Amino acid sequence: MKVTISHTIEEREEADAVLSALRPLLAWGKVRKSNRHAPFLHIYLATKKPGKPRNSKENT
């Protein structure tokens, strides 16, 4: 899953609050911040792909 948070410099505190609220809820693989597209700043969140569940009966 990928999530993008776009904000301006004035909204930085709210964006950081959203980021800190999301971190405990989901196990994020990557968090990347970018300021390429002025005047907006972006925070990109991406999770790792879930693996196949292991069945202990099949592995024995």
Side-chain angles (χ1 to χ4, degrees):
M1 173 177 28
K2 295 180 182 179
V3 176
T4 303
I5 301 171
S6 300
H7 60 92
T8 60
I9 294 172
E10 294 84 21
E11 299 170 330
R12 181 174 292 222
E13 291 179 15
E14 290 93 359
D16 288 337
V18 169
L19 180 62
S20 64
L22 287 176
R23 280 190 186 207
L25 297 175
L26 301 169
W28 295 108
K30 280 189 202 178
V31 176
R32 186 174 62 89
K33 295 184 179 185
S34 173
N35 58 359
R36 276 189 215 172
H37 308 286
F40 296 102
L41 304 171
H42 300 280
I43 300 173
Y44 299 101
L45 308 165
T47 59
K48 295 180 181 180
K49 286 186 176 181
K52 291 185 179 179
R54 295 182 183 215
N55 189 348
S56 60
K57 291 180 183 177
E58 291 178 9
N59 293 337
T60 58

